[in-house]
Structure formats: structure tokens, C-alpha cells
Amino acid sequence: MKKISRRDFLKSIGLGTAGLTLVASPALASESHSTITGEKLPSKIRKVKETFTVCAYCGCGCGIILYSNDKKEMIFCEGDPDHPINEGSLCSKGNGIIDVYNNVNKKKQREVNKRRITEPLYRAPGSSQWEKKSWDWVLTEVAKRVKAAREATFEEKDDKGVTVNRTTAIATFGSASLDNEENYLLHKMFRSWGLLNIEHHARL
């Protein structure tokens, strides 16, 4: 049996790889051309505009690919598989961006989604019915209940006599849709009430 040197072995591998590349190149070029012209694209993204963006719901910064038609309506969205944070996955909040965007456009055209709630609804304890209430009633009721809960549970000192000025009976749930200034003012207000349970919805 003829012995082959390491150098000859590497040369033969290199020649074989180059040959396969030349053979496969026309097929790859043909497939690439078909993809560009839309012949082999999935039906969900044919004849639509593809836009890469970042989800606006929470502070995670997940990448989203949006698909819109000529009427500037969003018809499909999916997670960006090349994004380093979500790697193609997308939660229910991210998928809901379609309805948010389309509803904003409809509102500009004086059309509102019939399923969208535009008035405060209140359900009394033990009741199975929702009642429409005014914003003044709702804000007044919320303020009364917050004040009552704070006064009933407020601690000035703990068991060791250390001043704490806190209440653990009230919690807040923040939104990433607010800007820095709004979050600063809300956080300052909650701290002034003595709240400890200040959370953010991006953790869900």
C-alpha cells in the first residue's frame, strides 16, 4: 500500500473541497435568485415589506421581524432568529404588537377596534356584572383605598425598634412603555408612601 504524507493528504482535501464548491455554486446561485424574486419564499412573507425592530413592551430588548403590506398594515411578526437576546423566540406581549400598531393606524382613520375597552369598568364584590364608571369616580375610589390600606398597615418601627416607615400591603407593577421621567416621578411617589414591593412587568 502506498503511503501518503500529511502534506499530500491536506492537498487532496483542499482540491476535493474546491471541486465540490464549483459544482454546488450554480445550484446555490439559482436558489439565491429564486429567494430574491420570491418564488420560494413562504406565503406569509411574499410581496410584503420586511422590517427589523426591537420590541417596545419591556426592557429586555428582544428583536422582532415585522411584515407589512402596501397599505402599511402589519400582517405578521416573529422573533428575530439572529438577535442575541431572544434568538427567534417571542412572548405573547411581543406577538401582540400587531394589534397595537394596527389599532393606532385605525384610530388615526377614526376607526376603533370594537373589542377595545374605552371606559372604566367596575365589578362590585360578589357581583358578576361590570358597571361603567367615570374616570373621576375611579380615581377617587383608588385614592381612598390606597390611603386606607396604607394607614391600616403602615409600620414606623420594626420589632427591633429601627425606624422603617414602610407598608408591605401595597405593591406596584411598572410599565416599560413609560419614559425615564415618568418612571422617576412614579418611583418617587411610591417611595414616599413607604412601598417596598415595586416591580416591573418585564420580569414576567
Side-chain angles (χ1 to χ4, degrees):
M1 181 182 292
K2 182 180 179 180
K3 292 184 178 180
I4 183 171
S5 66
R6 181 174 178 274
R7 184 181 295 274
D8 292 337
F9 175 72
L10 293 175
K11 282 182 180 180
S12 62
I13 291 178
L15 291 172
T17 303
L20 289 173
T21 302
L22 291 174
V23 172
S25 293
L28 291 173
S30 175
E31 182 178 350
S32 176
H33 175 72
S34 298
T35 303
I36 293 173
T37 56
E39 294 175 11
K40 291 188 177 181
L41 290 176
S43 58
K44 65 183 179 183
I45 57 174
R46 287 180 189 169
K47 298 181 181 180
V48 295
K49 180 182 178 183
E50 185 181 64
T51 304
F52 292 83
T53 186
V54 176
C55 182
Y57 277 106
C58 55
C60 297
C62 296
I64 301 181
I65 306 177
L66 307 176
Y67 301 97
S68 56
N69 56 21
D70 296 337
K71 298 179 181 179
K72 295 185 178 180
E73 295 174 336
M74 195 182 301
I75 59 176
F76 186 76
C77 76
E78 61 184 352
D80 184 356
D82 296 324
H83 200 277
I85 294 177
N86 55 319
E87 297 180 337
S89 62
L90 201 60
C91 73
S92 56
K93 292 179 294 183
N95 276 309
I97 199 170
I98 295 180
D99 290 333
V100 173
Y101 178 84
N102 289 338
N103 284 341
V104 168
N105 281 348
K106 288 181 180 179
K107 188 176 181 182
K108 291 178 181 177
Q109 301 168 5
R110 303 189 179 212
E111 297 178 13
V112 180
N113 191 327
K114 295 180 180 180
R115 294 177 297 175
R116 184 179 180 185
I117 298 174
T118 58
E119 296 177 294
L121 298 177
Y122 169 73
R123 190 176 68 177
S127 174
S128 60
Q129 301 296 324
W130 291 93
E131 306 173 42
K132 290 184 179 180
K133 296 289 186 179
S134 67
W135 282 107
D136 289 338
W137 184 92
V138 170
L139 294 175
T140 301
E141 192 67 23
V142 169
K144 282 166 39 178
R145 297 189 184 196
V146 168
K147 186 175 185 296
R150 181 179 182 273
E151 291 179 350
T153 60
F154 193 78
E155 302 175 55
E156 292 186 3
K157 297 181 182 294
D158 63 9
D159 296 338
K160 298 180 180 180
V162 178
T163 301
V164 290
N165 290 328
R166 68 190 180 191
T167 175
T168 57
I170 306 174
T172 65
F173 205 48
S175 168
S177 298
L178 303 179
D179 57 32
N180 290 338
E181 290 74 18
E182 290 172 315
N183 280 317
Y184 169 78
L185 292 174
L186 286 171
H187 200 279
K188 196 170 184 178
M189 179 178 69
F190 296 145
R191 289 298 184 190
S192 71
W193 295 352
L195 268 62
L196 300 179
N197 303 316
I198 301 176
E199 194 46 273
H200 193 276
H201 82 269
R203 296 177 184 272
L204 288 184

